[in-house]
Amino acid sequence: MSEIVRRTPKQIAVSERNLQSAAIRLLPKSNKLVSTEVDYLRRVLGDRATQVEIDEKVMLVRRLPWREIVGE
């Protein structure tokens, strides 16, 4: 009988470099994040997150209203 080994996704640091790399990979055309978007993502994700979580939030940040990103 074979056992199925499930890996838990590795958590990585939520740094500006990792966020910008995800944005370049995922976003068409204007694929750089502005500093306000980076601040929002770091606030929402915390210090560490999986690559899947980072990818989801990077895709989401461009569809959010600006007032939610700024945190008014």
Side-chain angles (χ1 to χ4, degrees), residues 12-45:
I12 59 174
V14 179
S15 65
E16 183 170 357
R17 182 177 181 176
N18 288 339
L19 294 172
Q20 292 291 5
S21 295
I24 289 169
R25 189 169 34 83
L26 297 169
L27 298 175
K29 296 181 183 175
S30 59
N31 53 12
K32 284 282 197 174
L33 297 171
V34 296
S35 61
T36 308
E37 291 171 325
V38 171
D39 292 342
Y40 170 79
L41 290 168
R42 292 183 84 180
R43 189 172 63 240
V44 170
L45 291 169

